[in-house]
Amino acid sequence: MSDTLATDIREPRPYIRLDTILRLRWLAVLGQLATIFVVEQGLEFDVPLLGCLSVIAFSVAVNVGLQIAFNPMLRLEPKHAASLLALMIAELAALLFLTGGIENPFSILVLAPTLIAATSLPPRLTLSLAAFAAATATILAFWYLPLPWTAEDPPILPLTYRVATWLSTIIAIGVTSLYAFQAAEQARKLSDALAAAELVLAREQHLTQIDGLAAAAAHELGTPLSTITLIVRELEKTLDPATPIAADIRTLREQTQRCRDILAKLTQLSPAGAPFDHMRLSALVEEAVAPHRDFGIAIKIRLAADTDEPVAVRNPAVLYGIGNILENAVDFARETVEVDGWWDTRQVEIVIADDGPGIAPDMLRKIGEPYLSRRPAESGSGGLGLGIFIARTLLERSGAKVSFRNRIFPAHGAIVHIVWPRDAFEGSETTLAPQD
C-alpha cells in the first residue's frame, strides 16, 4: 500500500467532546454532595461545610457557565480539554485539603482526570496532567486540615503510613495512565488500519467492476453505432467520389469502423465480468506475480497437485493480499522469490519464500499487527507498516490461514504460508463489512 494512502487513513486522535467532560463534572458534583451529606448527617462527623460547599458551588457555576456559553457537542481542542481536566484535579484537591488530605479514602479519585487524558489527549498534555496530579498528591500528603472524625477518638496516622499512601498514589497515577494510553493507542491503530483495509478493498473491487461496466457500455453502444455505419455507407454510395465531401464521408466511415473494432473487443466481456469472474489457481498466481517481475528479482513459480486445479471466484481481496506479500518478498529478496502452489481435494496452499535476511525474531512474534514496519524511511520505501496487516486481514476474511516463519539455518529468508479449505477458496467471495 502506498504511503499516501496510509497517511490519508491515519487521522489524529479524536478530540474529546465538551458534553463528556460536563457529564463527568456533574457526576463529581453529585458524588461530592452525597458524600458530604452521609459524613455530616449519617456519621455525624465534623465537616467544614462552608469550605466544602463553596468548592462545590464553584464547580456548579463552571458547569452551568460552560453549558450556556458553548454547544455541549463541541469537540474541544486538546489544550482546552486538558485545562478542564486540570481544573477537576484542582477542585478535588481543594476538597481533599479540607477533609484530611492524603488520609481521605477518596484521594484515589485524583486518578480519574489523568485516565481520561491518557485515552483522549496527546502524550505531552497527558504527562503534564499526570505531573500536576502528582504535585497535588504531594502537597496533600503534608499540608491538609484534619480528617473529619469524632472529637473523642480522632485517628492519628504515622508519617510512614502517609508517605506510603502518597507513594502508592504516585505509582498508581503513572501505571494506570500508561496502561490506559497504550490500550487506547492500540485501539486507535486497529481502527485506522481496518479503515485502510476497507478503502483498499473498495478500490480493488472498483477496478474489477470496470470490466463489467465496459462490457455493458459496449452492448449499449453497439446498436446506434451500427446505424451510423449503415447511413455512412449509403451516403458514400450516393456521393460522387470527386466531390470534397466524399473524402470526409470516407474518413467518417473509417473512424466508425475503428469504433466497431474497439467495441468488438469489449463485447468479449459479459456484464458480469466474464471471462474474468472466475480464475484458476495458476492464473491467480500469475496475475499476482506479474506486476513484480521487472525489479531485478527472479520469481520462480512451481505448481503441483493431486487432483483437478481449483477454480476460484475472482476476489480482489485475495489478489491484493497475495500481491502485497509478494511485494514485500521482492523488496527484501537478494536474488530470488519462490512461489509454490499445491492443492488436493481438501485444501489449497500457496507458499511465498524469499532469500533475504528473514524476519527479525522480535518482529516475528508481532508480525501482522498494524503500524509495524522495519523499512528504513530514508530508503524511500518506508511506510506505516500497514501492508502486511491489510494483506493478512483480507486473506483471513477469505477463509485462509496465514503464517510467517524463517528458513531453517543455514538457509536464510522469510516464508509465508497461506492455506485455504478448498471449499472456501472455490466457493466464496469475501468482502469487508459494508459501510453506511
Side-chain angles (χ1 to χ4, degrees):
M1 185 180 63
S2 67
D3 296 341
T4 302
L5 175 59
T7 303
D8 291 341
I9 284 295
R10 197 179 190 191
E11 299 176 352
R13 64 178 61 210
Y15 292 165
I16 190 170
R17 289 191 307 185
L18 176 61
D19 180 65
T20 302
I21 293 183
L22 285 175
R23 288 174 183 270
L24 293 172
R25 288 181 60 84
W26 281 119
L27 181 63
V29 166
L30 294 176
Q32 291 160 4
L33 287 173
T35 302
I36 291 174
F37 176 80
V38 170
V39 173
E40 173 71 19
Q41 300 297 322
L43 301 179
E44 297 183 350
F45 289 168
D46 186 17
V47 178
L49 280 178
L50 181 60
C52 292
L53 292 178
S54 297
V55 174
I56 295 175
F58 175 77
S59 297
V60 171
V62 171
N63 292 355
V64 173
L66 289 173
Q67 286 186 320
I68 294 175
F70 302 100
N71 183 352
M73 295 296 107
L74 173 68
R75 292 195 177 273
L76 299 172
E77 293 287 337
K79 61 181 180 181
H80 298 151
S83 299
L84 288 177
L85 293 174
L87 181 60
M88 290 179 65
I89 295 174
E91 292 165 350
L92 179 60
L95 285 174
L96 292 174
F97 172 80
L98 296 170
T99 56
I102 204 74
E103 296 178 1
N104 191 318
F106 292 97
S107 62
I108 194 66
L109 292 177
V110 77
L111 295 174
T114 59
L115 289 177
I116 298 170
T119 59
S120 58
L121 297 182
R124 177 178 56 83
L125 293 175
T126 300
L127 288 174
S128 299
L129 278 174
F132 180 59
T136 58
T138 302
I139 294 173
L140 293 172
F142 301 101
W143 293 280
Y144 54 89
L145 297 181
L147 181 71
W149 207 266
T150 57
E152 294 79 12
D153 188 24
I156 301 175
L157 300 177
L159 177 62
T160 304
Y161 178 83
R162 284 186 281 121
V163 171
T165 304
W166 165 79
L167 183 60
S168 66
T169 303
I170 299 299
I171 293 175
I173 290 173
V175 172
T176 56
S177 297
L178 180 61
Y179 175 79
F181 173 78
Q182 289 181 335
E185 187 69 11
Q186 288 298 320
R188 277 189 290 268
K189 286 181 177 181
L190 185 59
S191 176
D192 293 343
L194 288 175
E198 291 187 4
L199 180 57
V200 167
L201 183 55
R203 289 183 177 181
E204 294 292 327
Q205 289 174 328
H206 177 71
L207 292 175
T208 301
Q209 292 167 356
I210 289 178
D211 289 340
L213 292 174
H219 283 293
E220 294 295 328
L221 292 173
T223 300
L225 190 59
S226 297
T227 303
I228 294 172
T229 302
L230 179 61
I231 295 173
V232 168
R233 286 177 178 172
E234 291 300 322
L235 288 174
E236 192 174 21
K237 291 178 181 178
T238 58
L239 289 175
D240 183 356
T243 60
I245 197 173
D248 294 334
I249 293 296
R250 186 165 52 253
T251 301
L252 180 60
R253 177 179 57 79
E254 292 172 353
Q255 295 302 313
T256 305
Q257 184 58 43
R258 183 181 177 187
C259 291
R260 288 172 60 86
D261 293 340
I262 294 173
L263 290 182
K265 295 178 182 178
L266 293 178
T267 52
Q268 294 175 7
L269 305 174
S270 73
F276 301 115
D277 53 349
H278 287 74
M279 58 195 319
R280 296 182 179 274
L281 176 65
S282 56
L284 183 151
V285 170
E286 184 58 40
E287 183 168 337
V289 167
H292 309 291
R293 287 193 179 277
D294 299 326
F295 294 93
I297 300 295
I299 301 180
K300 300 179 180 179
I301 300 176
R302 294 190 296 254
L303 301 177
D306 290 342
T307 183
D308 294 337
E309 184 175 2
V311 178
V313 175
R314 183 183 181 88
N315 189 338
V318 172
L319 285 168
Y320 180 86
I322 296 175
N324 198 287
I325 292 174
L326 274 167
E327 180 182 357
N328 277 273
V330 170
D331 286 346
F332 288 102
R334 292 192 176 102
E335 296 179 354
T336 306
V337 171
E338 298 175 356
V339 182
D340 296 328
W342 181 85
W343 63 88
D344 60 13
T345 57
R346 295 183 299 106
Q347 64 185 28
V348 178
E349 300 182 15
I350 295 178
V351 179
I352 301 172
D354 63 69
D355 59 353
I359 305 171
D362 61 322
M363 298 282 286
L364 192 59
R365 293 193 298 269
K366 300 183 291 184
I367 195 152
E369 294 182 8
Y371 304 104
L372 182 68
S373 178
R374 276 286 181 86
R375 295 185 182 182
E378 62 270 14
S379 67
S381 60
L384 294 179
L386 278 176
I388 291 297
F389 168 80
I390 293 177
R392 185 172 190 169
T393 299
L394 296 180
L395 289 171
E396 288 180 348
R397 291 193 178 191
S398 73
K401 292 184 178 180
V402 185
S403 59
F404 301 82
R405 60 185 174 89
N406 287 322
R407 293 178 183 266
I408 299 175
F409 185 81
H412 50 81
I415 299 176
V416 182
H417 194 190
I418 310 169
V419 183
W420 290 269
R422 181 154 179 159
D423 291 343
F425 180 81
E426 290 185 322
S428 66
E429 184 175 4
T430 304
T431 61
L432 294 176
Q435 298 180 354
D436 295 332

